[in-house]
Amino acid sequence: MNVLSRIIDRADRQAWLMGRMMDRLGLTVVETTRADLGIRMYSACRTCMSCRHADECEAWLSASDKTYVADAPAFCPNAGFFRGVHRRSDITSASQELYLQSGEKLR
């Protein structure tokens, strides 16, 4: 296998792992890119591409195949990023709920 093929295979695998991790954490691309036009998501993708825990990640994702979890595993270099997205999503959801409730009171 030539070098280019290995690079492409690794990129495919890491992108697949990133997508599975986001699914497992209940995150969407919209949530991960909303706050800063995707700059942090871009950084998280680059971090994933260079991560040395791909085998560990794949094993973790396979072991908990259909279970939603709140946090990425400790070995994940993007765990902090994912926590931040969850916090922002929680704040946004709470703000939207307050906004909708205040609108209902005004009617």
mmCIF file of all heavy atoms in Angstrom, residues 73-98:
data_model
loop_
_atom_site.group_PDB
_atom_site.id
_atom_site.type_symbol
_atom_site.label_atom_id
_atom_site.label_comp_id
_atom_site.label_asym_id
_atom_site.label_seq_id
_atom_site.Cartn_x
_atom_site.Cartn_y
_atom_site.Cartn_z
ATOM 1 N N PRO A 73 -14.921 9.485 26.443
ATOM 2 C CA PRO A 73 -13.992 8.823 27.370
ATOM 3 C C PRO A 73 -12.777 9.704 27.664
ATOM 4 O O PRO A 73 -12.424 10.583 26.872
ATOM 5 C CB PRO A 73 -13.594 7.551 26.623
ATOM 6 C CG PRO A 73 -13.880 7.832 25.197
ATOM 7 C CD PRO A 73 -15.014 8.795 25.162
ATOM 8 N N ALA A 74 -12.145 9.438 28.786
ATOM 9 C CA ALA A 74 -11.016 10.255 29.235
ATOM 10 C C ALA A 74 -9.852 10.261 28.243
ATOM 11 O O ALA A 74 -9.129 11.255 28.147
ATOM 12 C CB ALA A 74 -10.545 9.765 30.599
ATOM 13 N N PHE A 75 -9.669 9.189 27.497
ATOM 14 C CA PHE A 75 -8.545 9.143 26.553
ATOM 15 C C PHE A 75 -8.763 10.019 25.331
ATOM 16 O O PHE A 75 -7.834 10.292 24.572
ATOM 17 C CB PHE A 75 -8.249 7.703 26.108
ATOM 18 C CG PHE A 75 -9.355 7.050 25.348
ATOM 19 C CD1 PHE A 75 -9.581 7.327 24.009
ATOM 20 C CD2 PHE A 75 -10.191 6.143 25.977
ATOM 21 C CE1 PHE A 75 -10.614 6.717 23.309
ATOM 22 C CE2 PHE A 75 -11.222 5.520 25.285
ATOM 23 C CZ PHE A 75 -11.435 5.804 23.954
ATOM 24 N N CYS A 76 -9.980 10.487 25.107
ATOM 25 C CA CYS A 76 -10.304 11.277 23.914
ATOM 26 C C CYS A 76 -9.754 12.702 24.059
ATOM 27 O O CYS A 76 -10.128 13.425 24.987
ATOM 28 C CB CYS A 76 -11.818 11.332 23.710
ATOM 29 S SG CYS A 76 -12.312 12.307 22.263
ATOM 30 N N PRO A 77 -8.879 13.118 23.143
ATOM 31 C CA PRO A 77 -8.343 14.477 23.228
ATOM 32 C C PRO A 77 -9.389 15.562 22.946
ATOM 33 O O PRO A 77 -9.153 16.729 23.219
ATOM 34 C CB PRO A 77 -7.227 14.493 22.174
ATOM 35 C CG PRO A 77 -7.576 13.412 21.226
ATOM 36 C CD PRO A 77 -8.318 12.370 22.018
ATOM 37 N N ASN A 78 -10.550 15.178 22.432
ATOM 38 C CA ASN A 78 -11.633 16.128 22.173
ATOM 39 C C ASN A 78 -12.705 16.120 23.267
ATOM 40 O O ASN A 78 -13.735 16.771 23.109
ATOM 41 C CB ASN A 78 -12.286 15.835 20.817
ATOM 42 C CG ASN A 78 -11.455 16.323 19.665
ATOM 43 O OD1 ASN A 78 -10.852 17.389 19.727
ATOM 44 N ND2 ASN A 78 -11.412 15.550 18.602
ATOM 45 N N ALA A 79 -12.466 15.428 24.361
ATOM 46 C CA ALA A 79 -13.474 15.331 25.429
ATOM 47 C C ALA A 79 -13.895 16.717 25.922
ATOM 48 O O ALA A 79 -15.079 16.983 26.120
ATOM 49 C CB ALA A 79 -12.953 14.467 26.581
ATOM 50 N N GLY A 80 -12.945 17.614 26.110
ATOM 51 C CA GLY A 80 -13.262 18.972 26.560
ATOM 52 C C GLY A 80 -14.100 19.730 25.547
ATOM 53 O O GLY A 80 -15.028 20.457 25.905
ATOM 54 N N PHE A 81 -13.792 19.564 24.273
ATOM 55 C CA PHE A 81 -14.577 20.191 23.212
ATOM 56 C C PHE A 81 -16.022 19.703 23.266
ATOM 57 O O PHE A 81 -16.964 20.497 23.238
ATOM 58 C CB PHE A 81 -13.958 19.879 21.848
ATOM 59 C CG PHE A 81 -14.861 20.186 20.684
ATOM 60 C CD1 PHE A 81 -15.108 21.496 20.301
ATOM 61 C CD2 PHE A 81 -15.475 19.161 19.974
ATOM 62 C CE1 PHE A 81 -15.952 21.775 19.231
ATOM 63 C CE2 PHE A 81 -16.304 19.435 18.906
ATOM 64 C CZ PHE A 81 -16.549 20.745 18.529
ATOM 65 N N PHE A 82 -16.200 18.384 23.366
ATOM 66 C CA PHE A 82 -17.549 17.821 23.406
ATOM 67 C C PHE A 82 -18.315 18.296 24.645
ATOM 68 O O PHE A 82 -19.502 18.602 24.557
ATOM 69 C CB PHE A 82 -17.499 16.294 23.359
ATOM 70 C CG PHE A 82 -17.013 15.743 22.044
ATOM 71 C CD1 PHE A 82 -16.023 14.772 22.004
ATOM 72 C CD2 PHE A 82 -17.541 16.173 20.845
ATOM 73 C CE1 PHE A 82 -15.576 14.248 20.798
ATOM 74 C CE2 PHE A 82 -17.102 15.663 19.627
ATOM 75 C CZ PHE A 82 -16.116 14.695 19.609
ATOM 76 N N ARG A 83 -17.644 18.378 25.803
ATOM 77 C CA ARG A 83 -18.298 18.892 27.012
ATOM 78 C C ARG A 83 -18.765 20.323 26.798
ATOM 79 O O ARG A 83 -19.858 20.706 27.204
ATOM 80 C CB ARG A 83 -17.359 18.815 28.213
ATOM 81 C CG ARG A 83 -17.424 17.527 28.980
ATOM 82 C CD ARG A 83 -16.707 17.598 30.325
ATOM 83 N NE ARG A 83 -15.304 17.962 30.198
ATOM 84 C CZ ARG A 83 -14.330 17.128 29.855
ATOM 85 N NH1 ARG A 83 -14.600 15.862 29.605
ATOM 86 N NH2 ARG A 83 -13.091 17.548 29.760
ATOM 87 N N GLY A 84 -17.901 21.125 26.160
ATOM 88 C CA GLY A 84 -18.261 22.517 25.890
ATOM 89 C C GLY A 84 -19.473 22.635 24.980
ATOM 90 O O GLY A 84 -20.327 23.490 25.182
ATOM 91 N N VAL A 85 -19.551 21.777 23.982
ATOM 92 C CA VAL A 85 -20.709 21.788 23.081
ATOM 93 C C VAL A 85 -21.970 21.433 23.864
ATOM 94 O O VAL A 85 -23.000 22.084 23.704
ATOM 95 C CB VAL A 85 -20.512 20.823 21.888
ATOM 96 C CG1 VAL A 85 -21.788 20.711 21.066
ATOM 97 C CG2 VAL A 85 -19.353 21.268 21.020
ATOM 98 N N HIS A 86 -21.879 20.425 24.726
ATOM 99 C CA HIS A 86 -23.033 20.061 25.555
ATOM 100 C C HIS A 86 -23.459 21.237 26.427
ATOM 101 O O HIS A 86 -24.647 21.535 26.530
ATOM 102 C CB HIS A 86 -22.717 18.855 26.449
ATOM 103 C CG HIS A 86 -22.992 17.542 25.802
ATOM 104 N ND1 HIS A 86 -24.240 17.153 25.401
ATOM 105 C CD2 HIS A 86 -22.156 16.515 25.491
ATOM 106 C CE1 HIS A 86 -24.178 15.943 24.868
ATOM 107 N NE2 HIS A 86 -22.919 15.537 24.903
ATOM 108 N N ARG A 87 -22.503 21.926 27.044
ATOM 109 C CA ARG A 87 -22.841 23.073 27.899
ATOM 110 C C ARG A 87 -23.522 24.157 27.092
ATOM 111 O O ARG A 87 -24.547 24.696 27.505
ATOM 112 C CB ARG A 87 -21.580 23.630 28.563
ATOM 113 C CG ARG A 87 -21.230 22.995 29.876
ATOM 114 C CD ARG A 87 -20.247 23.836 30.666
ATOM 115 N NE ARG A 87 -19.012 24.092 29.949
ATOM 116 C CZ ARG A 87 -17.983 23.269 29.874
ATOM 117 N NH1 ARG A 87 -18.025 22.114 30.486
ATOM 118 N NH2 ARG A 87 -16.904 23.592 29.200
ATOM 119 N N ARG A 88 -22.949 24.485 25.918
ATOM 120 C CA ARG A 88 -23.563 25.523 25.087
ATOM 121 C C ARG A 88 -24.959 25.107 24.637
ATOM 122 O O ARG A 88 -25.875 25.918 24.608
ATOM 123 C CB ARG A 88 -22.679 25.833 23.873
ATOM 124 C CG ARG A 88 -21.455 26.642 24.212
ATOM 125 C CD ARG A 88 -20.747 27.172 22.984
ATOM 126 N NE ARG A 88 -20.371 26.179 22.009
ATOM 127 C CZ ARG A 88 -19.270 25.453 22.046
ATOM 128 N NH1 ARG A 88 -18.422 25.586 23.036
ATOM 129 N NH2 ARG A 88 -18.992 24.577 21.097
ATOM 130 N N SER A 89 -25.137 23.838 24.309
ATOM 131 C CA SER A 89 -26.453 23.342 23.880
ATOM 132 C C SER A 89 -27.446 23.428 25.023
ATOM 133 O O SER A 89 -28.595 23.813 24.819
ATOM 134 C CB SER A 89 -26.351 21.894 23.391
ATOM 135 O OG SER A 89 -25.578 21.833 22.225
ATOM 136 N N ASP A 90 -26.999 23.087 26.230
ATOM 137 C CA ASP A 90 -27.881 23.175 27.397
ATOM 138 C C ASP A 90 -28.288 24.620 27.655
ATOM 139 O O ASP A 90 -29.444 24.907 27.940
ATOM 140 C CB ASP A 90 -27.209 22.594 28.646
ATOM 141 C CG ASP A 90 -27.049 21.084 28.570
ATOM 142 O OD1 ASP A 90 -27.689 20.448 27.702
ATOM 143 O OD2 ASP A 90 -26.267 20.545 29.374
ATOM 144 N N ILE A 91 -27.327 25.544 27.555
ATOM 145 C CA ILE A 91 -27.622 26.962 27.769
ATOM 146 C C ILE A 91 -28.566 27.468 26.689
ATOM 147 O O ILE A 91 -29.539 28.159 26.981
ATOM 148 C CB ILE A 91 -26.323 27.788 27.790
ATOM 149 C CG1 ILE A 91 -25.529 27.468 29.063
ATOM 150 C CG2 ILE A 91 -26.603 29.281 27.694
ATOM 151 C CD1 ILE A 91 -24.115 27.999 29.071
ATOM 152 N N THR A 92 -28.310 27.107 25.441
ATOM 153 C CA THR A 92 -29.174 27.527 24.340
ATOM 154 C C THR A 92 -30.587 26.985 24.526
ATOM 155 O O THR A 92 -31.560 27.713 24.375
ATOM 156 C CB THR A 92 -28.604 27.055 22.986
ATOM 157 O OG1 THR A 92 -27.307 27.615 22.824
ATOM 158 C CG2 THR A 92 -29.489 27.469 21.835
ATOM 159 N N SER A 93 -30.696 25.710 24.901
ATOM 160 C CA SER A 93 -32.014 25.110 25.111
ATOM 161 C C SER A 93 -32.748 25.812 26.244
ATOM 162 O O SER A 93 -33.937 26.107 26.136
ATOM 163 C CB SER A 93 -31.881 23.629 25.433
ATOM 164 O OG SER A 93 -31.350 22.944 24.335
ATOM 165 N N ALA A 94 -32.047 26.098 27.326
ATOM 166 C CA ALA A 94 -32.670 26.775 28.465
ATOM 167 C C ALA A 94 -33.102 28.183 28.063
ATOM 168 O O ALA A 94 -34.203 28.632 28.428
ATOM 169 C CB ALA A 94 -31.705 26.822 29.646
ATOM 170 N N SER A 95 -32.265 28.890 27.298
ATOM 171 C CA SER A 95 -32.613 30.239 26.847
ATOM 172 C C SER A 95 -33.821 30.216 25.927
ATOM 173 O O SER A 95 -34.713 31.053 26.034
ATOM 174 C CB SER A 95 -31.430 30.871 26.109
ATOM 175 O OG SER A 95 -30.337 31.002 26.958
ATOM 176 N N GLN A 96 -33.851 29.241 25.008
ATOM 177 C CA GLN A 96 -34.987 29.133 24.096
ATOM 178 C C GLN A 96 -36.264 28.830 24.861
ATOM 179 O O GLN A 96 -37.314 29.378 24.566
ATOM 180 C CB GLN A 96 -34.719 28.057 23.050
ATOM 181 C CG GLN A 96 -33.677 28.461 22.041
ATOM 182 C CD GLN A 96 -33.262 27.312 21.135
ATOM 183 O OE1 GLN A 96 -33.504 26.153 21.441
ATOM 184 N NE2 GLN A 96 -32.619 27.638 20.035
ATOM 185 N N GLU A 97 -36.149 27.970 25.862
ATOM 186 C CA GLU A 97 -37.319 27.630 26.666
ATOM 187 C C GLU A 97 -37.834 28.858 27.412
ATOM 188 O O GLU A 97 -39.033 29.124 27.437
ATOM 189 C CB GLU A 97 -36.959 26.518 27.652
ATOM 190 C CG GLU A 97 -38.159 25.961 28.375
ATOM 191 C CD GLU A 97 -37.796 24.749 29.225
ATOM 192 O OE1 GLU A 97 -36.986 23.922 28.791
ATOM 193 O OE2 GLU A 97 -38.344 24.678 30.339
ATOM 194 N N LEU A 98 -36.934 29.642 28.009
ATOM 195 C CA LEU A 98 -37.344 30.862 28.701
ATOM 196 C C LEU A 98 -37.979 31.848 27.744
ATOM 197 O O LEU A 98 -38.982 32.484 28.048
ATOM 198 C CB LEU A 98 -36.149 31.515 29.398
ATOM 199 C CG LEU A 98 -35.633 30.814 30.640
ATOM 200 C CD1 LEU A 98 -34.333 31.459 31.110
ATOM 201 C CD2 LEU A 98 -36.675 30.842 31.744
#
